[in-house]
Amino acid sequence: MRLDNQIIEEILYDSGIEAVTQIHSIVHSSAVEYRGELPRYLEGIHQQNPDQIIDQLWWKVRKILPLTIQSIKAKVLDVLIVDSFSTDAFLLYVFVEDDVYFGFRGNLPIKIMPSVAIDLSVDLSIFYSVHNGWYEIESNDGLLQAERFDVFRDPENNKPNFLKVFQKGVNTVGFDIDSTKKEPYVLWVEDDDVEEIIDFWKFIDEWLSTMLEDVDNR
């Protein structure tokens, strides 16, 4: 199903992205139709069905995010390259729920993680070599763009003590950077509770797939 550009433009406009210069489907259009230099990691992806495209884009994280990949393959309507004067190029994964279209933004991968995220107990670079963050484009719920990782500080001494890398609503997932092990935790803001995460990627995988649970199948 090829979506009308007006639908995509409304998603982008509602997310504060303006001055869009190109919306290019990598599901329905060939690479030669892309105006400009195709991002290198997309050069080997040819026009084919969405399942195959997701497999190619996400193969590096197939073992750590199997539920998320399964959900995307079942539900994504299109994957688009978006170019805009107001932001760097990114991929937009388009979904629909009860006739409402929305998108998840996957920024182009990065090679070097921010210094604050290099020596965590979990290697985040495995995902960020696929996308520099993957989040619902309007709410920003999901894995944050590395440049938008948020460092919380201890109110008593102003020392950095927590690195936020994921959000869902008011709740936050990140790492205790004030400890030696720098282990992951979830901050349940509504319950005023902190919970240690035993398996970070399993937790993220379940949360991302839950975010897509009620989305219509393709």
Side-chain angles (χ1 to χ4, degrees):
M1 173 183 172
R2 187 161 191 163
L3 300 174
D4 189 289
N5 270 10
Q6 184 177 350
I7 293 174
I8 310 305
E9 289 168 356
E10 288 176 358
I11 294 173
L12 297 172
Y13 183 80
D14 290 343
S15 307
I17 297 174
E18 300 178 346
V20 175
T21 58
Q22 182 174 195
I23 299 171
H24 178 86
S25 168
I26 61 176
V27 175
H28 300 288
S29 304
S30 67
V32 296
E33 296 177 62
Y34 181 74
R35 303 190 307 272
E37 185 178 353
L38 195 70
R40 180 170 296 179
Y41 91 123
L42 297 176
E43 289 176 353
I45 296 177
H46 306 293
Q47 185 177 356
Q48 51 197 304
N49 70 55
D51 286 5
Q52 293 171 316
I53 288 173
I54 301 306
D55 283 338
Q56 289 193 56
L57 287 173
W58 292 65
W59 69 270
K60 290 182 180 179
V61 292
R62 64 189 184 281
K63 292 183 179 179
I64 61 172
L65 297 176
L67 297 177
T68 302
I69 293 172
Q70 180 181 349
S71 295
I72 296 172
K73 289 168 67 173
K75 299 169 184 289
V76 71
L77 300 178
D78 203 349
V79 183
L80 307 149
I81 308 173
V82 176
D83 292 323
S84 166
F85 287 125
S86 64
T87 184
D88 293 333
F90 62 90
L91 295 192
L92 182 69
Y93 295 71
V94 183
F95 302 89
V96 64
E97 181 178 343
D98 297 331
D99 295 324
V100 176
Y101 292 89
F102 66 98
F104 270 72
R105 175 172 173 166
N107 298 301
L108 301 186
I110 56 175
K111 294 181 179 179
I112 300 176
M113 297 294 294
S115 58
V116 70
I118 288 177
D119 59 350
L120 303 175
S121 60
V122 175
D123 181 10
L124 298 180
S125 67
I126 185 172
F127 180 84
Y128 285 78
S129 66
V130 174
H131 279 311
N132 180 12
W134 197 74
Y135 47 90
E136 203 278 313
I137 193 169
E138 189 170 355
S139 68
N140 292 319
D141 284 352
L143 280 163
L144 301 178
Q145 187 176 6
E147 293 84 351
R148 295 179 59 244
F149 287 169
D150 196 5
V151 177
F152 296 174
R153 294 180 177 272
D154 189 321
E156 295 184 0
N157 55 29
N158 203 39
K159 288 179 59 178
N161 63 0
F162 189 80
L163 179 68
K164 173 184 175 180
V165 302
F166 184 102
Q167 71 178 35
K168 186 174 185 294
V170 297
N171 300 308
T172 292
V173 174
F175 294 84
D176 177 6
I177 55 176
D178 193 32
S179 69
T180 303
K181 294 183 178 180
K182 299 187 177 180
E183 295 173 331
Y185 290 83
V186 55
L187 309 182
W188 301 106
V189 175
E190 293 172 334
D191 299 327
D192 194 23
D193 191 21
V194 178
E195 178 186 350
E196 183 178 358
I197 298 173
I198 304 303
D199 187 330
F200 175 81
W201 287 120
K202 182 179 180 182
F203 186 93
I204 295 298
D205 190 30
E206 291 175 350
W207 217 344
L208 285 174
S209 60
T210 298
M211 290 167 65
L212 296 173
E213 190 172 36
D214 296 328
V215 175
D216 298 348
N217 284 336
R218 188 172 68 247

